[in-house]
Amino acid sequence: MIELDSLTSMILPTSSANPHPKFTSKFSAVEHHSVVRITGGCAHMSSADAANMNSLFRKAFLGFSGVLLVGGTRMVDTGYLRATMSESEDANSTEEFSPFVPGITDVGRVIKRQNPNCVLLGVIPRSEGVGFNQEFGILEVIRSVKDDPGDRYAKHIVTIVQSDMDAISLLLKPLQPRRTIWEDEAYFCARIVQAQRESAGWDSALVVYNGGQTTEYEIRLTAESDSPVILIRGSGRIADRLAADAEFLEAHPSVQVCDLNPESLRNALVETGTITPPPGQHGRLRAVS
Amino acid sequence: MSKALDLLNQHQPFEVPEYIGAVRLHVFNVEDNLPPKAQALINNAPGNLSIRIGGGCAGMDLRDQKDMLDLFRTNLDRYRGLISSGATRSIKDGRIDPMVTEVAALLARIGGENIVSISTVPRIGVLQLVGNSRLEMLRQDEYGQSITYFNPGVATILIPQSSDGIDLGWDGDLETYFQMLEARRNCGIFWNGGGVTKSEIKMSLRHGWDTVLVEGSGRAADELIDAMRIGELDLTLADETNRTMYEPRLHHLHVVSKYDKFGLRDKLREISFLS
């Protein structure tokens, strides 16, 4: 049986680049004053690049007690799901199914399940609405090619509301002319993180795994404001390209590069102050031979 | 103990005091949510409590006004959390003319890190910098020209404006402050006041806030206390057609006397706004 969504507690619409106060009020619920935005590959990430992604983040974020800011959706293959549901009555079936298209937005849920004291917040960019899909029991994000001209996926791939979120901000309008809805999400999140840094003195990090054009936009937006960015080298695509770009790294000293293993990512997070080492420890993971 | 007004450096009404450093101003469209930076400040306030001070001081002489400030100082000096009020300052003969809007500035002065002070004022005129970087709001209407001074004794001032240029009116910040405090546990304390204060009191009660009216302070506060006692406290707002009456089981209305030196403090302890 496939576990689908446990519903998010609050979906808070906003018509501007400013989140609803109930969304940011979740920031006051955490012990450690840090916010980590995680971004990167979703639809265009290869399955090879996605392998072990969840495990990497689960290990690196052990003990995290700040705020996580991620995309508020995930993609599900309803054709696969329908086939799985009909076969689930076959008690002899041992094949493992996953109807979900791997994406970076999943790691927030993975971290939250291991670290219940952290707060998990999601953002859903401009869409026509959110509706309940009775067939599968999921909250589906309704979006047309008009909203997302880059969307070329088959109709059986649908976008649903991510589970286990403490709150989700739903953007009702485009925020910036000539930008995509995904760049709007990046811009919206960058404003929130920057506000926490400047007005409340919080530590922050933008963690980048894989990713494409939108991710590059967010990296540059963050790096140009001197906020910490962690590029995971070996995760593929834009993260690898910028991690190897000496000119870019030299021009943006707030950007650091870590390797594709939990120890390296955790050490980078400790450097940014977003994870605090337990007393008497350096907080770093030892490499496992 | 020095008198409360002396703590506000009454002879320097336009100066930002050293303990504030610089006043943050956020001007934004009232139709939008609060800017994230303002939200970050609110969420970073200690604890989860907020107190909004509302009202006015019409009909009071300087002695009464000083007594009012001293009463708030005596009763709220141990408060820890967010404090908010109207963000204006009245100035007479080059000195602070102490209105109820000075209470937030006073608590910011004595509370140190225990207090985050964020006050609001609607944009009802032209904002202009004059003299030595002094910000004023110039308003021209059927009554002539008037100038509103901002209170430099609070850490942050939120100034909602209308994106289409429509005059918000003096109650144009009510929506802002109810929204900004929505996620916190709130108490409204009201002293005296006029028409806008009446609306604030009604909204405070209807938002489920603990609402404390100071008896003997005059005008709006006393009128609504009287109405409550004879069972005729109408909480209907000006633009509403359906009537909403005060209902003691739903609305948290408290009355304290201004002549009871520690009445306010005791009430705030009773409703867990002071330890």
Side-chain angles (χ1 to χ4, degrees):
Chain A
M1 187 66 187
I2 292 165
E3 181 192 0
L4 272 178
D5 298 300
S6 55
L7 293 184
T8 287
S9 59
M10 270 200 286
I11 297 180
L12 299 160
T14 179
S15 299
S16 72
N18 301 337
H20 192 285
K22 278 188 178 172
F23 184 76
T24 57
S25 72
K26 298 288 180 185
F27 280 73
S28 59
V30 295
E31 294 169 10
H32 188 215
H33 287 182
S34 69
V35 52
V36 176
R37 159 77 175 156
I38 301 174
T39 192
C42 282
H44 300 286
M45 182 164 57
S46 69
S47 51
D49 282 342
N52 301 319
M53 178 181 68
N54 287 350
S55 168
L56 167 77
F57 279 91
R58 186 172 56 244
K59 290 175 182 171
F61 277 79
L62 183 65
F64 179 71
S65 58
V67 173
L68 286 173
L69 197 53
V70 297
T73 59
R74 68 193 314 203
M75 287 182 297
V76 62
D77 183 336
T78 54
Y80 206 72
L81 187 60
R82 189 175 286 117
T84 309
M85 289 171 85
S86 64
E87 288 169 16
S88 63
E89 293 174 6
D90 178 3
N92 296 322
S93 174
T94 55
E95 189 175 355
E96 289 186 9
F97 290 100
S98 176
F100 299 111
V101 179
I104 191 67
T105 58
D106 282 347
V107 303
R109 184 173 44 86
V110 169
I111 296 168
K112 171 75 178 179
R113 287 186 174 181
Q114 181 169 269
N115 304 285
N117 288 338
C118 76
V119 162
L120 178 59
L121 301 177
V123 176
I124 300 178
R126 157 82 188 129
S127 53
E128 287 166 22
V130 174
F132 188 66
N133 181 321
Q134 291 192 355
E135 183 182 2
F136 302 112
I138 52 179
L139 271 182
E140 185 177 342
V141 178
I142 301 153
R143 188 175 284 142
S144 66
V145 173
K146 187 180 159 200
D147 293 317
D148 185 12
D151 184 358
R152 294 286 181 271
Y153 294 99
K155 285 188 176 175
H156 59 87
I157 303 289
V158 299
T159 303
I160 65 171
V161 176
Q162 184 64 271
S163 60
D164 293 293
M165 295 273 172
D166 290 293
I168 284 181
S169 198
L170 177 67
L171 309 189
L172 298 179
K173 292 179 180 174
L175 301 182
Q176 312 170 96
R178 296 183 298 282
R179 298 283 186 200
T180 68
I181 58 169
W182 305 108
E183 286 166 335
D184 274 351
E185 178 194 325
Y187 173 73
F188 185 80
C189 291
R191 275 170 56 84
I192 293 173
V193 172
Q194 196 66 12
Q196 287 300 128
R197 287 182 63 79
E198 291 182 2
S199 291
W202 282 35
D203 291 314
S204 77
L206 171 71
V207 177
V208 183
Y209 186 101
N210 193 277
Q213 277 184 351
T214 306
T215 305
E216 180 172 8
Y217 166 78
E218 186 164 5
I219 293 168
R220 293 187 184 277
L221 191 66
T222 306
E224 278 159 22
S225 65
D226 290 327
S227 296
V229 177
I230 300 170
L231 303 174
I232 303 177
R233 179 169 45 210
S235 61
R237 301 166 70 213
I238 194 63
D240 283 358
R241 189 160 69 75
L242 289 180
D245 185 339
E247 193 178 331
F248 171 77
L249 295 175
E250 190 178 350
H252 300 97
S254 68
V255 179
Q256 57 172 314
V257 177
C258 75
D259 293 320
L260 187 64
N261 63 66
E263 302 81 38
S264 184
L265 174 55
R266 185 179 180 84
N267 292 346
L269 290 166
V270 170
E271 290 289 324
T272 63
T274 51
I275 283 187
T276 303
Q281 296 179 26
H282 297 295
R284 295 170 183 250
L285 292 178
R286 282 179 300 172
V288 179
S289 59
Chain B
M1 183 163 55
S2 60
K3 293 291 182 183
L5 186 56
D6 299 333
L7 296 171
L8 291 175
N9 197 8
Q10 57 177 312
H11 300 287
Q12 304 282 348
F14 298 110
E15 294 288 315
V16 178
E18 213 169 279
Y19 52 87
I20 294 290
V23 180
R24 295 167 187 251
L25 299 172
H26 292 279
V27 184
F28 59 99
N29 293 336
V30 72
E31 301 86 357
D32 298 340
N33 291 318
L34 290 175
K37 287 184 179 177
Q39 294 190 33
L41 290 168
I42 292 164
N43 295 325
N44 212 41
N48 189 38
L49 301 177
S50 297
I51 290 180
R52 172 81 183 187
I53 309 283
C57 289
M60 295 167 64
D61 60 22
L62 184 58
R63 172 75 180 269
D64 290 338
Q65 290 169 281
K66 287 179 174 178
D67 287 347
M68 178 270 298
L69 273 189
D70 286 335
L71 179 110
F72 277 107
R73 185 196 177 182
T74 306
N75 284 268
L76 287 171
D77 63 346
R78 299 289 172 87
Y79 171 66
R80 182 173 183 270
L82 191 149
I83 188 85
S84 164
S85 95
T88 58
R89 168 164 280 177
S90 178
I91 295 167
K92 193 188 282 182
D93 302 327
R95 292 182 176 195
I96 294 174
D97 179 26
M99 296 289 164
V100 78
T101 52
E102 294 300 335
V103 175
L106 178 66
L107 293 191
R109 167 72 176 84
I110 62 179
E113 292 183 350
N114 287 326
I115 294 289
V116 167
S117 51
I118 303 179
S119 290
T120 61
V121 64
R123 183 173 169 192
I124 53 155
V126 176
L127 298 175
Q128 57 182 18
L129 271 180
V130 297
N132 187 17
S133 294
R134 196 172 78 218
L135 185 67
E136 298 176 346
M137 186 155 56
L138 182 68
R139 180 182 174 87
Q140 186 78 45
D141 57 21
E142 66 268 33
Y143 304 108
Q145 192 178 77
S146 62
I147 294 176
T148 298
Y149 302 111
F150 293 90
N151 195 322
V154 293
T156 302
I157 296 177
L158 305 180
I159 309 173
Q161 65 178 2
S162 171
S163 61
D164 51 15
I166 294 172
D167 187 346
L168 285 180
W170 277 109
D171 59 354
D173 61 337
L174 298 191
E175 192 179 322
T176 293
Y177 87 71
F178 279 104
Q179 186 201 52
M180 86 182 200
L181 301 174
E182 195 171 8
R184 299 179 74 85
R185 191 164 163 257
N186 294 294
C187 175
I189 303 175
F190 298 95
W191 173 286
N192 190 288
V196 173
T197 304
K198 279 187 184 172
S199 297
E200 286 185 72
I201 293 170
K202 293 176 182 181
M203 289 174 74
S204 172
L205 287 164
R206 289 175 56 175
H207 274 78
W209 290 19
D210 280 298
T211 304
V212 181
L213 305 185
V214 182
E215 188 169 24
S217 62
R219 301 197 300 152
D222 283 341
E223 283 175 36
L224 295 192
I225 291 169
D226 291 343
M228 182 265 292
R229 286 188 174 141
I230 58 172
E232 292 181 1
L233 179 48
D234 188 345
L235 303 184
T236 310
L237 297 169
D239 57 351
E240 292 178 332
T241 49
N242 294 333
R243 285 187 83 191
T244 302
M245 296 301 292
Y246 167 69
E247 167 53 66
R249 288 170 300 180
L250 295 177
H251 305 118
H252 313 298
L253 177 59
H254 314 279
V255 177
V256 299
S257 168
K258 81 167 189 177
Y259 302 107
D260 183 350
K261 192 175 178 187
F262 296 111
L264 178 58
R265 187 187 67 183
D266 293 343
K267 178 56 69 179
L268 292 173
R269 281 183 175 159
E270 181 188 317
I271 58 178
S272 302
F273 273 81
L274 285 176
S275 54

